[in-house]
Amino acid sequence: MKPPVLKVEKLRREFPAGEGTITVLKDIDLTIEAGEMVAIVGQSGSGKSTLMNILGCLDRPTSGVYRVGERETAALEPDELAELRREHFGFIFQRYHLLGDLSALGNVEVPSIYAGVPVEARKDRARALLERLGLGDRTQHRPGQLSGGQQQRVSIARALMNGGEIVLADEPTGALDTKSGEEVMRILKGLHADGHTVIIVTHDREVAEHCQRVIEIRDGEIIDDRPGAGRGETDHEPLPALTAQGRDGIGALIDSFREAFQMALLAMNAHRMRTFLTMLGIIIGIASVVCVVALGTGSRQKVLEQISSIGTNTLEIMPGSGFGDRRSGAIRTLVVADADALSRQPYVDSVTPTVRSSVTVRYGAVANTGQVNGVGAQYFRVKGVKLSSGRLFGDEEIATTAQDVVIDQNTVTTLKFAGDPIGEVILLGSTPARIIGVVEASSSGFGGGGDQMNIYMPYTAVNARMLGTTTLRSITVRVNDDTESSIAEAGVTNLLTQRHGTKDFFIINTDEIRKTITATTQTLTVLISAIAVISLIVGGIGVMNIMLVSVTERTSEIGVRMAVGARQRDILQQFLIEAILVCLIGGILGIVVALLFGVIFAQFSTDFRLVYSMSSILAAFGCSTLIGVIFGFLPARNAARLDPVAALARD
């Protein structure tokens, strides 16, 4: 013998009320066979709607047994209850509960999306149902563009989308005029004639008499169960048969993801200002991170360029114990022989003695203060100075104390030569000198920089003709590329200490300066990046807050989706995708803002630029995705855990 389609035994439903409880249903016993058309009538507050919610698996009883076929609902998980609602029930609500962002066709399709029906098949069935119910020319209209009767017919079509073996109608004519109400009842009687089990909850006894069976409920108890009059006309035209079945696997997951993605876009578009304000925190945070990293990278590159201009991996040996040593001027122990001894060491690439004098430089009627650097023939290799035109002096000029000089571009500009300066004679104080070459301007560091004129002359000539001394101001050593600068520094210290009998000098290691400045820049970058990350976190919290508000605003929509068969993971997926989309789009816009900032920054700064790295951009993009997942999960989980009946009750 086939079991009844629905069976209730000793069913009770209690709700908390203050410190006690209120019993809405009291030990209800009810059996409904397949194919029946049943009306449940009663006054407001009698418990009829609560009974319908339990019959439709939207709510759970406090105690008692409820079976759908042979399945006892008390033992079912939320997703198993969703399967029952999706595969066996069709809901027709008094207030229609259509999704305002979807067309009539889209609303009818929703149950089959969660059933995994292929796209074309579900569109064809939804269209056929709407045409059968007289809405063939309204398929693309949204609920706000339809009359009450038309919206109720859309609701009926949605209830039948997955077959609607059991149709539950809650006050289906309550919000309609008389003519529309009669039309809806003809359709429901037609569904009964087609073999559907139809259960109508109503307070209107005239509506109840359209049914074969009338159950009256009062104060939570069934007081009457009698045959109905079965009056009224029946819509005999058959509805389209259900041909396409739901599927599992990848296809169903893809359809579910597509639906969730589309609904996320619709929700974002419907609240554009709110969406943008939500994104704003992410945009600022991502742009800050990318710009700070680019600023730090640009700073490091600039520092390295400036250090390279004073020689790569060099050791500057100077008299005294360090900068600010007042006795350094009296120490005369650095001599040319020290430079010669250093040049023979295996870790040394090249060496140059250095002396220096600040003099008035004259050419024609132009006079300006400049710096004369007395250097050796290897100075230009040691410092990495590049020749622009002419030639450099060599060992012969050093040996003969030649009054030949090499000048930089700043000197060329300052002295205003009429043509090529090569071969011209300038006065260095009272010493004439012939220009034999021009080098590029020194950008910074030891040996001058900025707009100062730098003139390079054999150190022998400067000592003999300008300073009248044989000692050196400093010795600069370029270390071999395959030697650690710290090892070379230790070697130089040992050698000169032995030669001088004491350590009366100090060494400036440019490689150590480079490392220190780079480390400092990295530390500052990390510090500022941490501040930027905090702004990202704040933006993420903003996303979470807005999504929580969105869940509250869309509670009714969530209830409708659950009523037509959405699983918890379907709801979780929809809201999580929306949060991730907000963060992803915010991340992309943040990267664009950062790049635009770099373009604008370049217009105002010619000697410094932001250097963007793909790794930082990808990291920022990944960070925005992670924020969407982390801060979107809690609101999405809250939405997925909503009680369907409570969600439907909230407007």
Side-chain angles (χ1 to χ4, degrees):
M1 181 178 177
K2 190 175 181 180
V5 66
L6 302 177
K7 187 171 183 179
V8 170
E9 298 175 349
K10 301 299 180 183
L11 185 142
R12 293 179 68 85
R13 184 66 172 103
E14 298 173 346
F15 293 94
E19 296 181 356
T21 59
I22 181 171
T23 303
V24 177
L25 296 177
K26 304 170 184 177
D27 299 325
I28 297 289
D29 291 312
L30 178 64
T31 299
I32 298 177
E33 302 292 341
E36 281 194 281
M37 186 171 184
V38 180
I40 300 176
V41 297
Q43 298 175 344
S44 297
S46 62
K48 61 184 185 299
S49 293
T50 301
L51 178 59
M52 191 202 76
N53 290 332
I54 293 175
L55 294 178
C57 298
L58 296 173
D59 195 9
R60 290 180 183 266
T62 304
S63 63
V65 177
Y66 172 44
R67 292 187 180 91
V68 178
E70 296 181 341
R71 302 176 71 179
E72 187 174 341
T73 59
L76 300 181
E77 295 294 325
D79 283 354
E80 292 175 309
L81 292 173
E83 179 193 354
L84 280 179
R85 294 193 294 268
R86 183 171 62 249
E87 304 296 338
H88 298 282
F89 294 101
F91 293 91
I92 303 171
F93 301 104
Q94 177 182 0
R95 289 178 291 178
Y96 323 127
H97 283 309
L98 300 179
L99 303 180
D101 292 333
L102 297 180
S103 64
L105 187 69
N107 271 281
V108 176
E109 280 185 77
V110 173
S112 61
I113 291 171
Y114 298 126
V117 177
V119 178
E120 291 303 321
R122 70 173 184 247
K123 287 188 178 298
D124 289 343
R125 176 165 173 77
R127 192 174 290 108
L129 284 169
L130 288 172
E131 288 175 354
R132 166 63 188 81
L133 294 172
L135 296 175
D137 59 344
R138 295 286 189 272
T139 58
Q140 298 306 316
H141 287 61
R142 293 190 177 184
Q145 300 170 309
L146 301 173
S147 67
Q150 290 171 335
Q151 290 187 61
Q152 193 64 289
R153 278 183 279 167
V154 172
S155 179
I156 293 171
R158 181 180 64 189
L160 300 173
M161 187 63 193
N162 289 345
E165 175 189 341
I166 304 168
V167 177
L168 297 171
D170 183 12
E171 299 283 5
T173 62
L176 302 177
D177 57 60
T178 302
K179 182 179 179 182
S180 297
E182 291 175 352
E183 185 176 358
V184 167
M185 289 308 301
R186 282 199 302 270
I187 294 171
L188 292 177
K189 288 176 70 66
L191 295 179
H192 171 242
D194 286 343
H196 295 270
T197 301
V198 180
I199 301 173
I200 299 174
V201 171
T202 181
H203 67 278
D204 189 337
R205 295 184 181 275
E206 290 295 323
V207 170
E209 293 303 326
H210 285 75
C211 301
Q212 294 178 320
R213 179 181 175 189
V214 178
I215 298 171
E216 186 173 355
I217 188 170
R218 181 185 298 166
D219 297 330
E221 297 178 313
I222 294 177
I223 61 170
D224 192 14
D225 187 345
R226 60 179 175 80
R231 67 176 64 150
E233 299 179 2
T234 301
D235 190 337
H236 291 291
E237 186 176 345
L239 291 162
L242 179 65
T243 55
Q245 297 297 320
R247 55 181 177 172
D248 295 321
I250 298 298
L253 289 175
I254 291 174
D255 283 351
S256 175
F257 178 82
R258 184 188 297 114
E259 165 68 9
F261 186 83
Q262 290 175 346
M263 289 308 302
L265 291 179
L266 284 171
M268 291 165 62
N269 183 60
H271 304 281
R272 288 185 291 272
M273 180 57 70
R274 186 182 72 187
T275 300
F276 174 73
L277 293 176
T278 306
M279 289 180 185
L280 194 57
I282 302 298
I283 293 171
I284 294 172
I286 294 294
S288 299
V289 170
V290 174
C291 284
V292 165
V293 173
L295 187 64
T297 304
S299 299
R300 284 197 298 273
Q301 287 191 5
K302 186 66 176 178
V303 167
L304 292 177
E305 288 173 3
Q306 292 176 339
I307 292 176
S308 295
S309 71
I310 64 172
T312 304
N313 202 10
T314 62
L315 304 175
E316 190 88 9
I317 306 160
M318 304 186 75
S321 60
F323 283 117
D325 185 356
R326 296 181 180 180
R327 298 180 299 107
S328 61
I331 298 174
R332 303 289 184 179
T333 53
L334 282 182
V335 294
V336 176
D338 291 332
D340 293 338
L342 288 169
S343 67
R344 294 190 291 270
Q345 302 306 307
Y347 51 79
V348 172
D349 176 86
S350 50
V351 177
T352 178
T354 305
V355 292
R356 190 168 296 159
S357 178
S358 182
V359 299
T360 300
V361 182
R362 292 183 176 85
Y363 174 74
V366 180
N368 208 328
T369 301
Q371 185 164 267
V372 178
N373 300 288
V375 299
Q378 293 184 321
Y379 172 86
F380 303 100
R381 174 174 174 78
V382 170
K383 291 292 189 179
V385 178
K386 296 179 180 179
L387 182 67
S388 178
S389 62
R391 66 179 180 86
L392 303 174
F393 50 77
D395 292 333
E396 182 179 349
E397 285 82 0
I398 300 294
T400 60
T401 64
Q403 292 171 233
D404 293 336
V405 294
V406 175
I407 63 175
D408 67 356
Q409 292 291 347
N410 290 336
T411 307
V412 174
T413 303
T414 303
L415 296 183
K416 300 178 182 178
F417 293 100
D420 187 358
I422 304 299
E424 297 290 339
V425 175
I426 59 176
L427 281 177
L428 307 178
S430 59
T431 304
R434 180 169 60 94
I435 300 172
I436 63 171
V438 179
V439 295
E440 296 178 359
S442 176
S443 61
S444 69
F446 312 105
D451 297 327
Q452 179 177 262
M453 292 192 297
N454 282 286
I455 299 154
Y456 304 97
M457 191 175 190
Y459 71 91
T460 52
V462 174
N463 270 348
R465 304 183 188 282
M466 302 177 70
L467 299 177
T469 182
T470 58
T471 58
L472 304 176
R473 178 184 180 277
S474 65
I475 299 172
T476 307
V477 176
R478 176 169 176 168
V479 181
N480 284 328
D481 291 337
D482 57 356
T483 303
E484 283 288 336
S485 63
S486 58
I487 296 174
E489 183 178 353
V492 170
T493 301
N494 290 334
L495 176 64
L496 293 184
T497 301
Q498 290 175 4
R499 288 179 58 84
H500 296 184
T502 183
K503 188 176 181 301
D504 55 358
F505 58 89
F506 66 97
I507 298 175
I508 301 170
N509 189 333
T510 57
D511 192 55
E512 291 300 321
I513 294 174
R514 177 185 64 80
K515 291 178 181 178
T516 301
I517 294 176
T518 301
T520 303
T521 306
Q522 289 174 335
T523 301
L524 290 174
T525 301
V526 170
L527 178 63
I528 301 173
S529 296
I531 297 172
V533 167
I534 291 173
S535 70
L536 268 180
I537 294 172
V538 172
I541 294 172
V543 171
M544 181 173 66
N545 289 338
I546 295 298
M547 291 304 299
L548 286 170
V549 171
S550 179
V551 168
T552 303
E553 287 182 352
R554 295 160 61 188
T555 300
S556 179
E557 173 197 333
I558 296 167
V560 172
R561 290 182 178 276
M562 287 181 166
V564 299
R567 295 164 286 258
Q568 286 189 341
R569 66 175 174 83
D570 295 320
I571 303 299
L572 178 69
Q573 177 179 254
Q574 177 180 333
F575 281 86
L576 196 56
I577 286 175
E578 185 172 335
I580 292 173
L581 274 178
V582 167
C583 292
L584 278 180
I585 296 172
I588 293 171
L589 292 176
I591 292 169
V592 171
V593 169
L595 295 176
L596 287 175
F597 176 78
V599 172
I600 296 171
F601 186 85
Q603 303 301 315
F604 294 94
S605 177
T606 56
D607 60 343
F608 183 82
R609 61 192 177 91
L610 275 67
V611 179
Y612 297 96
S613 67
M614 184 56 66
S615 59
S616 68
I617 291 175
L618 292 176
F621 195 72
C623 189
S624 67
T625 306
L626 190 62
I627 286 172
V629 173
I630 293 174
F631 289 98
F633 178 76
L634 178 60
R637 188 186 65 171
N638 289 350
R641 290 185 173 183
L642 283 173
D643 187 0
V645 69
L648 280 170
R650 191 181 304 176
D651 289 325

